[in-house]
Amino acid sequence: MGIPTRDAETAITTSIADYRDETHARDILALMEEYARDPFGGGEPLSDFCRAHLVQRLAEFPGAFSVLAYRENRAVGLVNCFTGFSTFLCKPLVNIHDVIVSKNARGAGVCTQMLELVAKEAKKRGCCKLTLEVLEKNLPAQAAYRKSGFRPYALDEAMGQAAFWQRYL
């Protein structure tokens, strides 16, 4: 478990989620639902299956961890992470899969604080880097990620930036 951190200016507290804690589980689902319904999250509610199984599956998934952010005991942010592997650096990495900041908490530094705790946890796990994906038109998220030190991925600028693709199975 991570050590809770607190920023006196914004009164935001962040910590590594405990998937077995009922409050954390409830807050993870509520924030995921908020994100899923947002246009940048797909604009659709979570499925009944996902609501029923998500937290348990996260707890069982090797290398998964989440960071929760609270303001005045109310969950305002969530980052879901998964450990992967960098073949070029021959070390583990952390892929940030979901970043959620509640609408009423945006602009208060919540994302920055959560990503800093993710970075600390990744270093503790011996990881070489953090990765994430962001929609090209989600400019507020891009600005927050840049503030935290993220940049578009390119091995060689002459070859262009990498694009994230997917194929459903």
Side-chain angles (χ1 to χ4, degrees), residues 98-141:
D98 304 299
V99 178
I100 302 111
V101 176
S102 289
K103 280 190 178 189
N104 64 351
R106 292 180 185 161
V110 175
C111 183
T112 301
Q113 285 185 237
M114 290 191 301
L115 292 176
E116 282 306 307
L117 185 52
V118 169
K120 286 179 187 174
E121 181 66 18
K123 286 179 185 176
K124 190 169 100 176
R125 293 173 181 230
C127 295
C128 61
K129 67 179 176 177
L130 304 176
T131 62
L132 57 74
E133 62 197 64
V134 59
L135 295 174
E136 68 179 299
K137 295 190 179 179
N138 192 345
L139 300 179

